[in-house]
Amino acid sequence: MAGAADDVKLLGMWASPYVLRVRLALSIKGIRYEYAEEDLRHKSELLLRSNPVHNKVPVLIHGGKPVCESLVILQYIDEAFGGAGPALLPADPHERAVARFWAAFIEDTLVKAMNQASWSKTEGEKVEGNKQATAALRTLEGALRDVSMGKPFFGGDSAGYVDIVLGGLLAGVRAMEAMLGVKAFDPETMPLLAAWADNFGALDAVAAVMPDVGRLVELFVMMHAQIATQAATTN
Amino acid sequence: MAGAADDVKLLGMWASPYVLRVRLALSIKGIRYEYAEEDLRHKSELLLRSNPVHNKVPVLIHGGKPVCESLVILQYIDEAFGGAGPALLPADPHERAVARFWAAFIEDTLVKAMNQASWSKTEGEKVEGNKQATAALRTLEGALRDVSMGKPFFGGDSAGYVDIVLGGLLAGVRAMEAMLGVKAFDPETMPLLAAWADNFGALDAVAAVMPDVGRLVELFVMMHAQIATQAATTN
């Protein structure tokens, strides 16, 4: 049963940073949509049919047509709903390229390092991941200084594409900070990113869709226990 | 010394599939540019200054401003030189999202598998990479059938974004085929991709920038010998 031409539906999972990016974009643009929570152990027929290549959330279904992969979805939202809310990407081709460069950096370098820091089985791998994540954040601190030129967001006065790509990670970062008693965005060494995280998190459109940090901590504690059990039984 | 506002310069390396993508796009769009070959063991000051985050080719410098990362550069070329030659991405937002999805698939799934198949140190890893590369190509065969709807290219009647992203790999694939005596695009199991490779390679704009396959074979033979030496000395 296909929806109406303008129907927007999001297949998601509450703790996914990739799904959060899409929710942030839809919220910032003020686009109404139906949200369907997926049980990733028992994926819906609609998810399997809509993303047959990866079988993964998020999937945005607009007028019956699916769009997959968070960065692809964000650009789709910007292009298909141009009239709604603020533009996510700048208009100038070079500024758009700079935004796409930093989105790719966050995806390929920062996320990879954060995952290694958080979910590796050995302490050595975690320490190395942590080192790389800190180096990536320092690079982003410099990028924020160069791109924003004194304005609060990568997008300037309002949150845009890069803010959303990075902002999707923010709930997980806050949960890790709470668990480990550390500050990922250290105000001493990364003052701009620390202020960015506070400013971004304080936006109404952002606060409205951020998952509960306490619930994320519970999930992460459970996942770490599973990894520890696996490591103990396979060594 | 900054160039004129419309000056286009490409920092590249002749054997790089990522650089080839950019050369293909510039050639298909008919954009004139200066090409500078980098010695990757002794990178130029201009490269280090233009891509301080990754220090990698390709870098496109347009009017003195650098753009890095091949997929970002391709989209930049499409947006900054909209008037020149055919559009690389379609106009429709959903078709653009589909093209970006397949570009990401080629980048994240196919290239990763091909690199594992070609450059792993153990035979087991190579076999597994080869299996994954074949599976990825079969997925692309289905994509070409669905996206092109009987037309020769992912872009329809003319080569576009996905054709260029995949086409950048074509010279390396041809060299590997020559070395190993195999067919990567098997006409029996992947008839559409096999025809695509022939059609794409036969375009004047493509033939004009394709590196010499014999020279690539020489380079690959040397690289494999280095890997074998490393494996023998570190085991």
Side-chain angles (χ1 to χ4, degrees), chain A residues 4 18 27 83 123 151 216 225:
Chain A
Y18 308 107
S27 183
E123 203 51 39
K151 293 177 176 174
L216 271 177

Side-chain angles (χ1 to χ4, degrees), chain B:
Chain B
M1 198 168 61
D6 283 343
D7 272 3
V8 181
K9 182 167 187 165
L10 175 62
L11 310 184
M13 187 273 177
W14 70 274
S16 159
Y18 309 107
V19 172
L20 180 55
R21 286 175 180 164
V22 178
R23 301 199 77 168
L24 287 166
L26 292 167
S27 183
I28 286 171
K29 297 274 281 183
I31 297 165
R32 296 182 65 134
Y33 63 101
E34 179 191 347
Y35 176 76
E37 177 78 5
E38 286 282 335
D39 176 351
L40 297 184
R41 290 160 306 180
H42 305 283
K43 294 174 182 176
S44 73
E45 270 306 308
L46 183 58
L47 172 57
L48 300 177
R49 194 171 67 232
S50 302
N51 189 357
V53 173
H54 301 299
N55 292 346
K56 282 184 183 167
V57 293
V59 177
L60 187 81
I61 305 176
H62 181 205
K65 289 181 180 174
V67 181
C68 308
E69 300 272 308
S70 67
L71 300 190
V72 175
I73 295 172
L74 295 186
Q75 292 177 82
Y76 174 79
I77 288 172
D78 208 29
E79 295 176 353
F81 300 92
L88 302 182
L89 278 156
D92 174 74
H94 188 263
E95 288 175 24
R96 292 166 72 83
V98 170
R100 290 193 179 113
F101 175 86
W102 288 117
F105 177 82
I106 292 165
E107 197 67 357
D108 299 335
T109 305
L110 178 63
V111 169
K112 203 175 144 197
M114 281 172 63
N115 282 340
Q116 185 177 329
S118 303
W119 310 113
S120 288
K121 287 184 186 172
T122 72
E123 204 50 39
E125 283 172 331
K126 279 188 188 178
V127 168
E128 178 57 29
N130 209 36
K131 224 170 80 181
Q132 289 175 10
T134 302
L137 286 173
R138 293 214 173 144
T139 300
L140 279 176
E141 172 82 3
L144 182 54
R145 187 188 58 229
D146 295 345
V147 172
S148 70
M149 297 192 293
K151 293 176 176 174
F153 299 111
F154 286 92
D157 287 318
S158 62
Y161 184 58
V162 180
D163 299 286
I164 290 168
V165 174
L166 185 60
L169 310 175
L170 200 51
V173 167
R174 293 302 193 211
M176 283 291 178
E177 287 180 333
M179 284 173 74
L180 306 173
V182 297
K183 276 213 169 291
F185 300 139
D186 181 352
E188 297 288 322
T189 57
M190 302 171 200
L192 297 177
L193 269 183
W196 169 87
D198 290 339
N199 289 328
F200 185 79
L203 294 172
D204 287 343
V206 170
V209 295
M210 275 286 170
D212 182 69
V213 170
R215 203 175 153 210
L216 271 177
V217 169
E218 281 173 33
L219 178 70
F220 288 177
V221 167
M222 198 182 72
M223 288 166 75
H224 277 128
Q226 281 176 351
I227 290 171
T229 309
Q230 277 171 15
T233 52
T234 55
N235 275 352

